[in-house]
Amino acid sequence: MKKTIAIIGLGYVGLPLALAFAKKYQVIGFDINSDRIAELKAGIDTTRETTTESLQAAHNLELTSDTSELSKAQIYIITVPTPVDETNQPDMAPLLSASKLVGSVLGIGDIVVYESTVYPGATEEICVPELEAYSGLSFNEDFFCGYSPERINPGDKTHRLETIIKVTSGSTDAIADEIDALYSNVITAGTHKASSIAVAEAAKVIENTQRDINIALMNELSLIFNRMGLDTIEVLEAAGTKWNFLPFRPGLVGGHCIGVDPYYLTHKAQALGYHPEMILAGRSINDSMAVHVADETIKEMLRRDLPVKGGRVLVLGLTFKENCPDLRNSKVFDVVKTLQSYGAEIDLHDSEADLEEAEQKYGQPLLRNLGEDEQGLYDAVILAVPHKSYQDLSVEGVKSLGHRNAVIFDIKGCLGNIDDVLRL
């Protein structure tokens, strides 16, 4: 008899997972947000990770925010967010809350698998005690655990859950085999069974740490080349003609993964008495780039004798990455706040984000349509996030939003190498 699976958290990670398992298992999709459940039942996914057709076809998926329904399951997969707080320390509150929730319904022989990003050791040091406390059961005697790190890339229509190799692990050899077999049933790309939960946790946290450091190097190079009067992208394209040069590019580093996960590793390293200099240096560089973008915009406005206080700036794109509605930890927010600190008047537009959510985050209304502003053309236009809709405008379309002498800052250089257009 197949076991019933409960997915705890139906965001970018949990929903695709629930739909994949529902093709072969009975699945309970649980989220504490009742509005999210109502939307999904209506066939609406605001994350755009799935379609109405896929939701309607998932006959084995029960969507609920009722905790009592979870007791039907024998396998629990926890996919809640693991953010950092205002001091960049791991915020384990969502994970602890989910562990308490599952602990309250845990039964003999049940398995709890964590997919949320954590530091090595967190599952067994932090989560397991919560499961034991709220269930009254003993770990590795009455219930078991595993860790299988999520590898969802929001907005990516090529690399999907089923086509990305899945790392798996379990708290005993037998449970590791069972968890690996479970994921193998839905992951067509195959699985990689780690020797321990801690190895699987470490593998996840260094995936994004590696990317963060590489992007930080590109950002530092852009700061150096800017002082030399060299175009960074042009330099990187020249260097990229060598077969083993890695194709990283400078840019803002936000979101819920690359801009967050390294802090989980550094937190654990510091707890062990080691100061991780390279990782924290990379974080410092990447976190500083938003202010750099704003400062360079202001400097160029001054060079062109454009007003700064009261100057009108249009920011295109507010999400943390292109072609994705996710606003979490977007560094565009820091660009906007820095510009406002100079007294500039900022208009905002995003073709992908949920307008209500964006307006709440930024504290002002967003433009509904480009080119229809009654106050005239802008003194500066910052293409912060290269959504396809903005790239389709071409450089002429973006320039047309500002007046003849306006500053155009194409942060990621998606419009090409144009002499009078700034880019990192």
Short mmCIF file of all heavy atoms in Angstrom, two decimals, residues 319-371:
data_model
loop_
_atom_site.label_atom_id
_atom_site.label_comp_id
_atom_site.label_asym_id
_atom_site.label_seq_id
_atom_site.Cartn_x
_atom_site.Cartn_y
_atom_site.Cartn_z
N THR A 319 11.32 42.91 -9.10
CA THR A 319 11.49 41.57 -8.56
C THR A 319 12.97 41.23 -8.43
O THR A 319 13.83 41.97 -8.89
CB THR A 319 10.80 40.54 -9.47
OG1 THR A 319 11.38 40.59 -10.78
CG2 THR A 319 9.31 40.82 -9.56
N PHE A 320 13.28 40.10 -7.80
CA PHE A 320 14.69 39.79 -7.57
C PHE A 320 15.38 39.21 -8.79
O PHE A 320 16.61 39.17 -8.85
CB PHE A 320 14.86 38.85 -6.36
CG PHE A 320 14.77 37.38 -6.67
CD1 PHE A 320 15.92 36.66 -7.03
CD2 PHE A 320 13.57 36.70 -6.58
CE1 PHE A 320 15.85 35.30 -7.31
CE2 PHE A 320 13.50 35.34 -6.86
CZ PHE A 320 14.64 34.65 -7.23
N LYS A 321 14.60 38.79 -9.80
CA LYS A 321 15.20 38.28 -11.03
C LYS A 321 14.22 38.46 -12.18
O LYS A 321 13.03 38.73 -11.97
CB LYS A 321 15.60 36.81 -10.90
CG LYS A 321 14.42 35.87 -10.70
CD LYS A 321 14.87 34.42 -10.59
CE LYS A 321 15.39 33.89 -11.90
NZ LYS A 321 15.65 32.44 -11.85
N GLU A 322 14.72 38.29 -13.38
CA GLU A 322 13.92 38.52 -14.56
C GLU A 322 12.85 37.45 -14.77
O GLU A 322 13.01 36.29 -14.41
CB GLU A 322 14.80 38.63 -15.81
CG GLU A 322 15.62 37.40 -16.12
CD GLU A 322 16.99 37.45 -15.48
OE1 GLU A 322 17.17 38.18 -14.47
OE2 GLU A 322 17.90 36.74 -15.97
N ASN A 323 11.72 37.89 -15.39
CA ASN A 323 10.63 37.01 -15.80
C ASN A 323 10.07 36.17 -14.66
O ASN A 323 9.71 35.02 -14.83
CB ASN A 323 11.10 36.09 -16.95
CG ASN A 323 11.68 36.88 -18.11
OD1 ASN A 323 11.14 37.92 -18.50
ND2 ASN A 323 12.78 36.41 -18.65
N CYS A 324 10.01 36.77 -13.49
CA CYS A 324 9.57 36.09 -12.28
C CYS A 324 8.85 37.11 -11.40
O CYS A 324 9.32 38.25 -11.27
CB CYS A 324 10.78 35.50 -11.57
SG CYS A 324 10.45 34.84 -9.93
N PRO A 325 7.73 36.75 -10.76
CA PRO A 325 6.99 37.71 -9.94
C PRO A 325 7.47 37.82 -8.50
O PRO A 325 6.91 38.58 -7.71
CB PRO A 325 5.55 37.15 -9.97
CG PRO A 325 5.75 35.67 -10.09
CD PRO A 325 6.97 35.48 -10.95
N ASP A 326 8.53 37.10 -8.13
CA ASP A 326 8.98 37.01 -6.75
C ASP A 326 9.70 38.28 -6.30
O ASP A 326 10.74 38.64 -6.84
CB ASP A 326 9.91 35.80 -6.61
CG ASP A 326 10.11 35.39 -5.16
OD1 ASP A 326 9.78 36.18 -4.26
OD2 ASP A 326 10.61 34.26 -4.93
N LEU A 327 9.17 38.94 -5.29
CA LEU A 327 9.73 40.19 -4.77
C LEU A 327 10.62 39.99 -3.54
O LEU A 327 11.24 40.93 -3.06
CB LEU A 327 8.60 41.15 -4.38
CG LEU A 327 7.79 41.76 -5.53
CD1 LEU A 327 6.46 42.28 -5.01
CD2 LEU A 327 8.57 42.86 -6.22
N ARG A 328 10.71 38.76 -3.06
CA ARG A 328 11.42 38.52 -1.81
C ARG A 328 12.89 38.92 -1.90
O ARG A 328 13.61 38.50 -2.79
CB ARG A 328 11.33 37.03 -1.42
CG ARG A 328 9.97 36.62 -0.91
CD ARG A 328 9.93 35.14 -0.59
NE ARG A 328 10.10 34.32 -1.79
CZ ARG A 328 10.24 33.00 -1.77
NH1 ARG A 328 10.26 32.35 -0.61
NH2 ARG A 328 10.36 32.32 -2.90
N ASN A 329 13.31 39.74 -0.93
CA ASN A 329 14.71 40.14 -0.80
C ASN A 329 15.26 40.76 -2.08
O ASN A 329 16.44 40.61 -2.39
CB ASN A 329 15.58 38.93 -0.38
CG ASN A 329 16.95 39.36 0.12
OD1 ASN A 329 17.10 40.40 0.74
ND2 ASN A 329 17.96 38.55 -0.17
N SER A 330 14.42 41.46 -2.82
CA SER A 330 14.90 42.12 -4.03
C SER A 330 15.76 43.33 -3.67
O SER A 330 15.36 44.18 -2.88
CB SER A 330 13.73 42.59 -4.89
OG SER A 330 14.19 43.37 -5.98
N LYS A 331 16.94 43.41 -4.26
CA LYS A 331 17.85 44.52 -3.97
C LYS A 331 17.46 45.79 -4.71
O LYS A 331 18.04 46.86 -4.47
CB LYS A 331 19.28 44.11 -4.31
CG LYS A 331 19.82 43.01 -3.41
CD LYS A 331 19.69 43.37 -1.95
CE LYS A 331 20.11 42.24 -1.03
NZ LYS A 331 19.92 42.56 0.41
N VAL A 332 16.48 45.70 -5.60
CA VAL A 332 15.97 46.91 -6.25
C VAL A 332 15.37 47.84 -5.19
O VAL A 332 15.42 49.06 -5.32
CB VAL A 332 14.92 46.56 -7.33
CG1 VAL A 332 14.42 47.83 -8.01
CG2 VAL A 332 15.52 45.60 -8.36
N PHE A 333 14.83 47.26 -4.15
CA PHE A 333 14.27 48.04 -3.05
C PHE A 333 15.33 48.98 -2.48
O PHE A 333 15.06 50.16 -2.19
CB PHE A 333 13.75 47.10 -1.95
CG PHE A 333 13.11 47.79 -0.78
CD1 PHE A 333 11.79 48.20 -0.85
CD2 PHE A 333 13.82 48.05 0.37
CE1 PHE A 333 11.18 48.86 0.23
CE2 PHE A 333 13.24 48.69 1.45
CZ PHE A 333 11.92 49.09 1.37
N ASP A 334 16.57 48.49 -2.33
CA ASP A 334 17.65 49.31 -1.79
C ASP A 334 18.07 50.40 -2.78
O ASP A 334 18.47 51.50 -2.37
CB ASP A 334 18.85 48.43 -1.44
CG ASP A 334 18.54 47.43 -0.33
OD1 ASP A 334 17.67 47.74 0.50
OD2 ASP A 334 19.14 46.35 -0.31
N VAL A 335 17.99 50.09 -4.08
CA VAL A 335 18.26 51.11 -5.09
C VAL A 335 17.27 52.26 -4.94
O VAL A 335 17.65 53.45 -4.90
CB VAL A 335 18.18 50.52 -6.51
CG1 VAL A 335 18.33 51.63 -7.56
CG2 VAL A 335 19.24 49.45 -6.73
N VAL A 336 15.99 51.92 -4.84
CA VAL A 336 14.93 52.92 -4.74
C VAL A 336 15.10 53.76 -3.47
O VAL A 336 15.02 55.00 -3.52
CB VAL A 336 13.55 52.24 -4.77
CG1 VAL A 336 12.44 53.24 -4.45
CG2 VAL A 336 13.31 51.58 -6.13
N LYS A 337 15.34 53.12 -2.35
CA LYS A 337 15.47 53.86 -1.08
C LYS A 337 16.67 54.80 -1.10
O LYS A 337 16.62 55.91 -0.55
CB LYS A 337 15.57 52.88 0.09
CG LYS A 337 14.28 52.13 0.38
CD LYS A 337 13.14 53.10 0.68
CE LYS A 337 11.82 52.40 0.92
NZ LYS A 337 10.70 53.34 1.07
N THR A 338 17.76 54.37 -1.73
CA THR A 338 18.94 55.23 -1.81
C THR A 338 18.66 56.44 -2.69
O THR A 338 19.03 57.58 -2.35
CB THR A 338 20.14 54.45 -2.33
OG1 THR A 338 20.36 53.29 -1.52
CG2 THR A 338 21.40 55.31 -2.33
N LEU A 339 18.01 56.23 -3.82
CA LEU A 339 17.65 57.35 -4.69
C LEU A 339 16.74 58.34 -3.97
O LEU A 339 16.89 59.56 -4.09
CB LEU A 339 16.96 56.83 -5.95
CG LEU A 339 17.85 56.07 -6.95
CD1 LEU A 339 16.98 55.40 -8.01
CD2 LEU A 339 18.86 57.00 -7.60
N GLN A 340 15.80 57.80 -3.22
CA GLN A 340 14.89 58.67 -2.48
C GLN A 340 15.62 59.47 -1.40
O GLN A 340 15.24 60.61 -1.10
CB GLN A 340 13.77 57.83 -1.86
CG GLN A 340 12.79 57.29 -2.89
CD GLN A 340 11.77 56.33 -2.31
OE1 GLN A 340 12.03 55.66 -1.30
NE2 GLN A 340 10.60 56.25 -2.93
N SER A 341 16.68 58.90 -0.86
CA SER A 341 17.45 59.61 0.17
C SER A 341 18.14 60.85 -0.40
O SER A 341 18.48 61.78 0.34
CB SER A 341 18.49 58.69 0.81
OG SER A 341 19.57 58.42 -0.06
N TYR A 342 18.36 60.87 -1.71
CA TYR A 342 18.93 62.04 -2.38
C TYR A 342 17.86 63.08 -2.75
O TYR A 342 18.18 64.14 -3.27
CB TYR A 342 19.65 61.62 -3.66
CG TYR A 342 21.00 60.99 -3.45
CD1 TYR A 342 21.18 59.62 -3.60
CD2 TYR A 342 22.11 61.76 -3.12
CE1 TYR A 342 22.43 59.03 -3.42
CE2 TYR A 342 23.37 61.19 -2.95
CZ TYR A 342 23.51 59.81 -3.09
OH TYR A 342 24.75 59.24 -2.91
N GLY A 343 16.61 62.73 -2.52
CA GLY A 343 15.53 63.65 -2.83
C GLY A 343 14.91 63.44 -4.20
O GLY A 343 14.07 64.24 -4.64
N ALA A 344 15.31 62.39 -4.90
CA ALA A 344 14.73 62.11 -6.21
C ALA A 344 13.30 61.60 -6.07
O ALA A 344 12.94 60.97 -5.07
CB ALA A 344 15.59 61.08 -6.95
N GLU A 345 12.48 61.89 -7.08
CA GLU A 345 11.12 61.39 -7.12
C GLU A 345 11.09 60.14 -8.01
O GLU A 345 11.50 60.20 -9.17
CB GLU A 345 10.18 62.46 -7.67
CG GLU A 345 10.09 63.70 -6.78
CD GLU A 345 9.15 64.75 -7.34
OE1 GLU A 345 8.56 64.51 -8.42
OE2 GLU A 345 9.03 65.82 -6.71
N ILE A 346 10.62 59.06 -7.45
CA ILE A 346 10.74 57.76 -8.11
C ILE A 346 9.38 57.25 -8.58
O ILE A 346 8.41 57.24 -7.81
CB ILE A 346 11.36 56.70 -7.17
CG1 ILE A 346 12.58 57.27 -6.45
CG2 ILE A 346 11.72 55.44 -7.95
CD1 ILE A 346 13.71 57.70 -7.34
N ASP A 347 9.31 56.85 -9.83
CA ASP A 347 8.17 56.10 -10.34
C ASP A 347 8.61 54.65 -10.56
O ASP A 347 9.77 54.39 -10.95
CB ASP A 347 7.66 56.69 -11.66
CG ASP A 347 6.76 57.90 -11.45
OD1 ASP A 347 6.37 58.13 -10.28
OD2 ASP A 347 6.46 58.60 -12.43
N LEU A 348 7.70 53.73 -10.33
CA LEU A 348 8.02 52.30 -10.38
C LEU A 348 7.12 51.57 -11.37
O LEU A 348 5.93 51.87 -11.49
CB LEU A 348 7.84 51.67 -8.99
CG LEU A 348 8.56 52.35 -7.82
CD1 LEU A 348 8.14 51.72 -6.51
CD2 LEU A 348 10.07 52.27 -7.99
N HIS A 349 7.71 50.60 -12.05
CA HIS A 349 6.94 49.75 -12.95
C HIS A 349 7.51 48.35 -12.94
O HIS A 349 8.74 48.17 -12.91
CB HIS A 349 6.97 50.31 -14.38
CG HIS A 349 6.11 49.53 -15.35
ND1 HIS A 349 6.56 48.41 -16.03
CD2 HIS A 349 4.82 49.71 -15.74
CE1 HIS A 349 5.60 47.94 -16.80
NE2 HIS A 349 4.54 48.71 -16.63
N ASP A 350 6.65 47.36 -12.93
CA ASP A 350 7.09 45.97 -13.07
C ASP A 350 6.01 45.18 -13.81
O ASP A 350 4.86 45.16 -13.39
CB ASP A 350 7.36 45.32 -11.71
CG ASP A 350 8.13 44.02 -11.84
OD1 ASP A 350 7.56 43.05 -12.41
OD2 ASP A 350 9.28 43.95 -11.40
N SER A 351 6.41 44.58 -14.92
CA SER A 351 5.45 43.87 -15.76
C SER A 351 5.14 42.47 -15.25
O SER A 351 4.23 41.82 -15.77
CB SER A 351 6.01 43.77 -17.19
OG SER A 351 7.26 43.10 -17.21
N GLU A 352 5.87 41.99 -14.23
CA GLU A 352 5.68 40.61 -13.76
C GLU A 352 5.14 40.53 -12.34
O GLU A 352 4.44 39.58 -12.00
CB GLU A 352 7.03 39.86 -13.82
CG GLU A 352 7.67 39.83 -15.19
CD GLU A 352 6.82 39.09 -16.21
OE1 GLU A 352 6.22 38.06 -15.86
OE2 GLU A 352 6.75 39.55 -17.36
N ALA A 353 5.46 41.49 -11.50
CA ALA A 353 5.10 41.41 -10.08
C ALA A 353 3.61 41.62 -9.86
O ALA A 353 2.92 42.27 -10.66
CB ALA A 353 5.88 42.46 -9.28
N ASP A 354 3.11 41.07 -8.77
CA ASP A 354 1.75 41.34 -8.34
C ASP A 354 1.69 42.79 -7.87
O ASP A 354 2.44 43.21 -6.97
CB ASP A 354 1.36 40.39 -7.19
CG ASP A 354 -0.03 40.65 -6.66
OD1 ASP A 354 -1.00 40.12 -7.23
OD2 ASP A 354 -0.15 41.41 -5.67
N LEU A 355 0.82 43.58 -8.48
CA LEU A 355 0.79 45.01 -8.21
C LEU A 355 0.50 45.33 -6.75
O LEU A 355 1.15 46.19 -6.15
CB LEU A 355 -0.25 45.69 -9.12
CG LEU A 355 0.10 45.78 -10.60
CD1 LEU A 355 -1.06 46.37 -11.38
CD2 LEU A 355 1.37 46.62 -10.81
N GLU A 356 -0.47 44.65 -6.19
CA GLU A 356 -0.84 44.93 -4.80
C GLU A 356 0.31 44.61 -3.86
O GLU A 356 0.63 45.39 -2.94
CB GLU A 356 -2.08 44.11 -4.42
CG GLU A 356 -2.59 44.39 -3.01
CD GLU A 356 -3.86 43.62 -2.69
OE1 GLU A 356 -4.57 43.19 -3.63
OE2 GLU A 356 -4.15 43.45 -1.49
N GLU A 357 0.97 43.48 -4.08
CA GLU A 357 2.10 43.10 -3.23
C GLU A 357 3.25 44.09 -3.39
O GLU A 357 3.88 44.49 -2.41
CB GLU A 357 2.57 41.68 -3.59
CG GLU A 357 3.72 41.18 -2.73
CD GLU A 357 4.25 39.83 -3.17
OE1 GLU A 357 3.69 39.25 -4.13
OE2 GLU A 357 5.23 39.36 -2.57
N ALA A 358 3.53 44.49 -4.62
CA ALA A 358 4.62 45.42 -4.87
C ALA A 358 4.34 46.79 -4.26
O ALA A 358 5.23 47.43 -3.68
CB ALA A 358 4.87 45.56 -6.37
N GLU A 359 3.11 47.25 -4.38
CA GLU A 359 2.75 48.55 -3.83
C GLU A 359 2.84 48.56 -2.31
O GLU A 359 3.23 49.55 -1.70
CB GLU A 359 1.35 48.94 -4.30
CG GLU A 359 1.32 49.30 -5.79
CD GLU A 359 -0.07 49.56 -6.34
OE1 GLU A 359 -1.06 49.24 -5.62
OE2 GLU A 359 -0.17 50.06 -7.46
N GLN A 360 2.52 47.43 -1.70
CA GLN A 360 2.63 47.32 -0.25
C GLN A 360 4.11 47.34 0.17
O GLN A 360 4.48 48.00 1.14
CB GLN A 360 1.96 46.04 0.24
CG GLN A 360 1.98 45.88 1.76
CD GLN A 360 1.23 44.65 2.22
OE1 GLN A 360 0.82 43.82 1.43
NE2 GLN A 360 1.05 44.53 3.52
N LYS A 361 4.96 46.63 -0.57
CA LYS A 361 6.37 46.56 -0.23
C LYS A 361 7.06 47.91 -0.42
O LYS A 361 7.86 48.33 0.42
CB LYS A 361 7.07 45.51 -1.10
CG LYS A 361 8.59 45.40 -0.87
CD LYS A 361 9.21 44.33 -1.72
CE LYS A 361 10.73 44.27 -1.55
NZ LYS A 361 11.15 43.95 -0.19
N TYR A 362 6.74 48.60 -1.52
CA TYR A 362 7.44 49.85 -1.84
C TYR A 362 6.74 51.08 -1.29
O TYR A 362 7.27 52.19 -1.37
CB TYR A 362 7.64 49.96 -3.36
CG TYR A 362 8.75 49.06 -3.86
CD1 TYR A 362 8.50 47.73 -4.17
CD2 TYR A 362 10.04 49.54 -3.98
CE1 TYR A 362 9.52 46.90 -4.61
CE2 TYR A 362 11.07 48.72 -4.42
CZ TYR A 362 10.80 47.40 -4.73
OH TYR A 362 11.81 46.57 -5.16
N GLY A 363 5.53 50.91 -0.77
CA GLY A 363 4.83 52.02 -0.13
C GLY A 363 4.35 53.10 -1.07
O GLY A 363 4.20 54.25 -0.66
N GLN A 364 4.14 52.76 -2.33
CA GLN A 364 3.62 53.73 -3.30
C GLN A 364 2.99 52.99 -4.47
O GLN A 364 3.31 51.82 -4.72
CB GLN A 364 4.74 54.64 -3.81
CG GLN A 364 5.78 53.96 -4.68
CD GLN A 364 6.85 54.92 -5.15
OE1 GLN A 364 7.77 55.27 -4.39
NE2 GLN A 364 6.76 55.35 -6.40
N PRO A 365 2.08 53.65 -5.20
CA PRO A 365 1.46 52.99 -6.34
C PRO A 365 2.44 52.78 -7.48
O PRO A 365 3.38 53.58 -7.66
CB PRO A 365 0.34 53.95 -6.74
CG PRO A 365 0.79 55.28 -6.22
CD PRO A 365 1.54 55.00 -4.96
N LEU A 366 2.25 51.73 -8.25
CA LEU A 366 3.06 51.46 -9.43
C LEU A 366 2.38 52.01 -10.67
O LEU A 366 1.14 52.13 -10.71
CB LEU A 366 3.26 49.95 -9.61
CG LEU A 366 4.51 49.33 -8.96
CD1 LEU A 366 4.46 49.46 -7.44
CD2 LEU A 366 4.65 47.87 -9.36
N LEU A 367 3.18 52.36 -11.66
CA LEU A 367 2.62 52.74 -12.96
C LEU A 367 1.95 51.53 -13.60
O LEU A 367 2.49 50.43 -13.56
CB LEU A 367 3.72 53.26 -13.89
CG LEU A 367 4.47 54.52 -13.46
CD1 LEU A 367 5.54 54.84 -14.49
CD2 LEU A 367 3.52 55.69 -13.30
N ARG A 368 0.80 51.75 -14.17
CA ARG A 368 0.11 50.66 -14.87
C ARG A 368 0.60 50.53 -16.31
O ARG A 368 0.71 49.44 -16.84
CB ARG A 368 -1.40 50.90 -14.87
CG ARG A 368 -2.18 50.21 -13.75
CD ARG A 368 -1.59 50.40 -12.37
NE ARG A 368 -2.38 49.73 -11.35
CZ ARG A 368 -2.08 49.71 -10.07
NH1 ARG A 368 -0.97 50.30 -9.65
NH2 ARG A 368 -2.84 49.09 -9.20
N ASN A 369 0.88 51.68 -16.94
CA ASN A 369 1.31 51.68 -18.33
C ASN A 369 2.50 52.60 -18.51
O ASN A 369 2.56 53.67 -17.91
CB ASN A 369 0.17 52.14 -19.25
CG ASN A 369 -1.04 51.23 -19.18
OD1 ASN A 369 -0.98 50.08 -19.59
ND2 ASN A 369 -2.13 51.75 -18.63
N LEU A 370 3.45 52.19 -19.32
CA LEU A 370 4.61 53.02 -19.60
C LEU A 370 4.29 54.05 -20.66
O LEU A 370 3.49 53.81 -21.56
CB LEU A 370 5.78 52.14 -20.07
CG LEU A 370 6.38 51.20 -19.02
CD1 LEU A 370 7.44 50.32 -19.66
CD2 LEU A 370 6.97 51.99 -17.86
N GLY A 371 4.94 55.21 -20.56
CA GLY A 371 4.79 56.23 -21.58
C GLY A 371 3.53 57.04 -21.50
O GLY A 371 3.23 57.83 -22.40
#
